[in-house]
Amino acid sequence: MSTLFPNYARRPVHLVEGKGTIVTDNNGKEYLDFTSGIAVLSLGHAHPAIVEAIQRQSEKLWHTSNLFESPEQEKLASSLIKETHFAHAFFCNSGAEANEAAIKLARKHTGKHVIITFENSFHGRTFGAMSATGQEKVRNGFGPLLETFRTVPFNDIEKLGAAIDESVGAIMLEIIQGEGGVNQITPAFTRAIADICKSKGILLIVDEVQTGIGRTGTRYAFEQTVLQPDIITLAKGLGGGFPIGAMLGTSELHDTFGPGTHGTTFGGNPLAVAVAQAVLDNIFTNEFLFAINEKSSYFMDKLKEALPAYKIVGSGLILGIICPDEVAPYITQAEQAGLLLVAAGPNVIRLLPPLTVTTQEINQAINIIASILRVPSMLQVPGTRNII
Ligand SMILES: *Cc1c(COP(=O)(O)O)cnc(C)c1O
């Protein structure tokens, strides 16, 4: 019996090494990693800039706590808010923690306790973030949950309007619901939200834990919409594999989080900040972001060509293949053929390659996916052939 709690449905693959998009298991078999550790390895495995940042900082200073000033955190915050309407950052260690900070900040700032969230959203596993999450399977068995959240169908303008009253302080959403099925927000819904927030003085929190840091082809996904969030939350891709989360907010929110109101011991420690700075220095350049968009268009076009019967959704390098049936068997077949994939909900294959993926790797992945989806799964002979 395992010494671990069985709270993850782990696949029987033991990965021991990674470089770029390729990972190797303990038998020496290679895979293309199109999960990126769930949108985390933005620069791929063992990127030289990250390896260098960790080595350099680990010999200097790992941790200080937030008792002392930190020009390094200031610099990282500047890189995150540069050319945005945000003024301040708070650093933590994960997406759920970034969302907790956002929920606390919004409640304290508005003095109102209701936050609207959406069906099929995912915001994390802590009590606040879990209560915000619009998926029964995440919440089941843990009640009573925080009463703060009012869950409304995603992209439903009428239902959203009906849910708004004087007690609502904030609306919290994802631009693309990553865990919930690669569901994109509609332009009409973003306009409705922008109007409601403006006319009622409601705060907007955008959870960019999965979509942020270049994943959708811009630094943040909200930049492709009319939305001007008061708060965004980040984690996953920000550390490129090292745990770090962040919350960005506007100058209006500055005084709400005075000394002693919120904090975390590890948040923004020198090691994490050095790594995240290396990640941003590489990703937040016009050339890098442009290349993501080029690769995304190529990937989309080739997928549509190879799989004309399937609907392809998403943006940048978070793409989804919507399948008429459960995708779990396809994911197992892809793994056997040397391609690691992750589902989004029961019927969507999610494609999350490192942002450094090459067109050659995209071609290899499409060949494997097409060979699996084109043939009814009954006819597939499970094999362990290494296609790479
Ligand atoms: C993964 C995810 C979270 C939770 O992040 P953790 O680091 O696992 O706490 C929150 N929101 C979104 C949109 C996510 O994809």
Side-chain angles (χ1 to χ4, degrees):
M1 199 196 279
S2 170
T3 52
L4 305 174
F5 273 109
N7 58 316
Y8 303 107
R10 293 175 191 273
R11 305 185 203 166
V13 176
H14 176 197
L15 301 174
V16 292
E17 218 175 303
K19 183 77 196 148
T21 308
I22 312 291
V23 284
T24 311
D25 72 13
N26 58 336
N27 298 316
K29 178 178 167 176
E30 291 188 342
Y31 306 81
L32 283 165
D33 184 2
F34 273 48
T35 70
S36 300
I38 319 187
V40 166
L41 296 144
S42 38
L43 292 174
H45 294 268
H47 189 283
I50 296 195
V51 172
E52 192 274 330
I54 287 206
Q55 282 176 344
R56 178 172 33 81
Q57 189 61 41
S58 70
E59 287 168 12
K60 232 167 121 186
L61 186 69
W62 291 37
H63 181 82
T64 57
S65 88
N66 287 297
L67 290 170
F68 308 101
E69 65 179 30
S70 173
E72 293 79 15
Q73 278 190 28
E74 298 265 354
K75 180 170 177 222
L76 184 62
S78 299
S79 300
L80 287 167
I81 66 186
K82 199 175 117 197
E83 288 158 32
T84 72
H85 62 288
F86 299 116
H88 308 291
F90 163 79
F91 293 106
C92 52
N93 313 290
S94 70
E97 265 186 273
N99 286 332
E100 291 294 328
I103 293 162
K104 286 177 71 174
L105 182 60
R107 279 179 73 159
K108 191 158 191 289
H109 187 76
T110 62
K112 296 182 176 182
H113 72 282
V114 175
I115 298 178
I116 302 228
T117 57
F118 297 95
E119 286 175 9
N120 292 316
S121 61
F122 183 80
H123 298 297
R125 305 282 189 166
T126 54
F127 254 94
M130 169 179 68
S131 302
T133 294
Q135 296 188 49
E136 200 38 47
K137 66 169 196 232
V138 173
R139 307 150 56 128
N140 200 9
F142 297 111
L145 302 174
L146 280 194
E147 285 169 14
T148 278
F149 301 97
R150 198 172 279 173
T151 311
V152 173
F154 195 46
N155 286 329
D156 187 329
I157 296 173
E158 217 167 291
K159 295 254 169 61
L160 173 63
I164 302 287
D165 60 28
E166 281 305 305
S167 62
V168 175
I171 296 175
M172 180 170 176
L173 57 84
E174 295 153 271
I175 302 292
I176 298 176
Q177 294 183 328
E179 301 304 306
V182 195
N183 308 320
Q184 286 170 277
I185 200 163
T186 61
F189 201 54
T190 58
R191 282 193 296 274
I193 287 172
D195 287 348
I196 289 171
C197 287
K198 195 165 174 213
S199 65
K200 309 265 183 199
I202 291 172
L203 290 185
L204 179 62
I205 304 167
V206 174
D207 179 343
E208 296 250 16
V209 169
Q210 189 153 161
T211 55
I213 318 295
R215 178 54 61 182
T216 67
T218 45
R219 292 170 304 172
Y220 309 113
F222 81 83
E223 294 176 299
Q224 297 174 47
T225 72
V226 297
L227 297 173
Q228 286 270 302
D230 300 279
I231 299 169
I232 65 170
T233 54
L234 302 165
K236 294 203 165 100
L238 175 59
F242 201 92
I244 180 168
M247 173 184 73
L248 309 185
T250 60
S251 57
E252 285 79 18
L253 300 165
H254 175 268
D255 295 339
T256 306
F257 256 5
T261 50
H262 190 58
T264 164
T265 301
F266 291 123
N269 92 1
L271 202 49
V273 164
V275 176
Q277 189 67 54
V279 169
L280 294 189
D281 289 346
N282 277 272
I283 294 180
F284 281 12
T285 69
N286 289 338
E287 299 73 35
F288 194 92
L289 294 170
F290 183 78
I292 296 172
N293 287 300
E294 296 266 280
K295 287 184 257 195
S296 173
S297 306
Y298 181 83
F299 201 173
M300 273 265 197
D301 291 349
K302 291 282 170 188
L303 273 174
K304 283 177 184 162
E305 216 174 282
L307 302 167
Y310 289 81
K311 192 170 176 219
I312 315 293
V313 293
S315 150
L317 291 172
I318 170 167
L319 301 181
I321 304 169
I322 299 181
C323 296
D325 42 5
E326 298 240 334
V327 299
Y330 301 137
I331 286 175
T332 305
Q333 288 165 27
E335 185 179 290
Q336 285 160 350
L339 173 66
L340 301 181
L341 298 171
V342 60
N347 300 110
V348 180
I349 296 173
R350 190 167 23 156
L351 303 161
L352 293 166
L355 306 179
T356 48
V357 68
T358 64
T359 42
Q360 194 203 347
E361 288 162 347
I362 290 173
N363 288 338
Q364 289 172 330
I366 289 175
N367 285 343
I368 295 173
I369 294 165
S371 75
I372 289 163
L373 292 186
R374 272 205 209 110
V375 185
S377 53
M378 300 280 291
L379 300 177
Q380 285 276 315
V381 183
T384 49
R385 192 162 56 99
N386 186 352
I387 292 193
I388 299 164

